[in-house]
């Protein structure tokens, strides 16, 4: 964004930068997903201690989702060091593929997995963590947003995102 490579972004946290402008866009919910054959699919709720012992597939350090997830772990009285991180990936698609192959449990945005949940390719499990976060449109104040990007932003504002629940 600050290098001028994109006109705007949709983010889950506000990094410190005097050049960036953030506007609330939508509520997002983290969801914990497993493959349909996973033993946790048969249980109503998983304890935080047991969850931390499971192999986890997480977003890369620096991502908004990773930051939010680690904050939720701390809020639950645990440390990110208590997690059993099996794989760290930079894309939601790669994470979903690893879960489907049985590598472990993943935490992703509901928006990222709603199709797979609806199709039964992934199953959501309940973990006692704070799961909601705000999403923002971010723009660089120093740059003029090109017309196509402005039109897309107007479209987003006119068509609010529906809240998705697993």
């Amino acid at each position: 964004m600050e290098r001028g490579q994109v006109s705007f972004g949709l983010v889950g946290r506000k990094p410190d930068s005097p050049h960036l402008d953030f506007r609330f866009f939508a509520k997002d919910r983290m969801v914990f997903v497993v493959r349909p054959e996973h033993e946790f699919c048969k249980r109503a709720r998983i304890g935080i201690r047991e969850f931390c012992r499971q192999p986890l597939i997480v977003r890369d350090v620096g991502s908004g989702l990773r930051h939010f997830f680690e904050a939720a772990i701390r809020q639950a009285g645990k440390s990110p060091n208590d997690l059993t991180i099996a794989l760290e990936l930079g894309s939601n698609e790669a994470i979903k593929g690893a879960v489907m192959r049985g590598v472990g449990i993943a935490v992703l945005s509901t928006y990222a997995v709603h199709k797979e949940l609806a199709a039964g390719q992934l199953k959501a499990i309940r973990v006692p963590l704070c799961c909601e976060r705000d999403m923002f449109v971010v723009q660089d104040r120093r740059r003029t947003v090109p017309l196509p990007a402005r039109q897309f932003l107007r479209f987003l504002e006119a068509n609010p995102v529906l809240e998705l629940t697993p």
Side-chain angles (χ1 to χ4, degrees), residues 52-69:
C52 288
R53 289 192 301 258
Q54 295 296 310
L56 298 175
I57 307 159
V58 295
R59 283 295 308 256
D60 50 329
V61 173
S63 75
L65 185 67
R66 174 76 174 261
H67 176 79
F68 181 73
F69 173 56

Side-chain angles (χ1 to χ4, degrees), residues 3-4 11 14 35 67 89 97 135 140 143 150 157 160:
R3 285 181 256 150
V11 297
K14 299 177 181 180
R35 60 192 263 168
H67 176 79
L89 297 168
M135 298 294 294
D140 191 324
R143 293 187 173 76
R150 284 196 312 262
E157 290 169 359

Side-chain angles (χ1 to χ4, degrees), residues 38-94:
H38 196 283
E39 64 179 291
F40 283 178
C41 291
K42 299 174 186 144
R43 297 179 41 196
R45 181 167 231 147
I46 313 307
I48 191 69
R49 197 175 308 146
E50 187 176 13
F51 172 77
C52 288
R53 289 192 301 258
Q54 295 296 310
L56 298 175
I57 307 159
V58 295
R59 283 295 308 256
D60 50 329
V61 173
S63 75
L65 185 67
R66 174 76 174 261
H67 176 79
F68 181 73
F69 173 56
E70 289 180 353
I73 289 291
R74 285 186 196 94
Q75 195 173 36
K78 293 290 188 181
S79 161
N81 293 332
D82 295 328
L83 300 170
T84 306
I85 297 177
L87 203 53
E88 195 175 280
L89 297 168
S91 101
N92 293 338
E93 294 303 313

Side-chain angles (χ1 to χ4, degrees), residues 19 55 59 65 70 98-99 107 112 115-116 129:
H19 305 296
R59 283 295 308 256
L65 185 67
E70 289 180 353
V99 172
V107 55
K115 289 179 186 173
E116 292 80 5
L129 292 173

Side-chain angles (χ1 to χ4, degrees), residues 1 9 28 49 69 75 77 90 117 130 137:
M1 172 85 43
D28 187 21
R49 197 175 308 146
F69 173 56
Q75 195 173 36
L117 291 172
C130 174
V137 172

Side-chain angles (χ1 to χ4, degrees), residues 7 10 23 32 41 51 60 63 83 111 118 133 138 147 151:
S7 300
L10 301 176
R23 288 190 332 259
F32 302 90
C41 291
F51 172 77
D60 50 329
S63 75
L83 300 170
Y111 296 113
R133 67 179 178 157
V138 59
L147 180 60
Q151 289 173 326

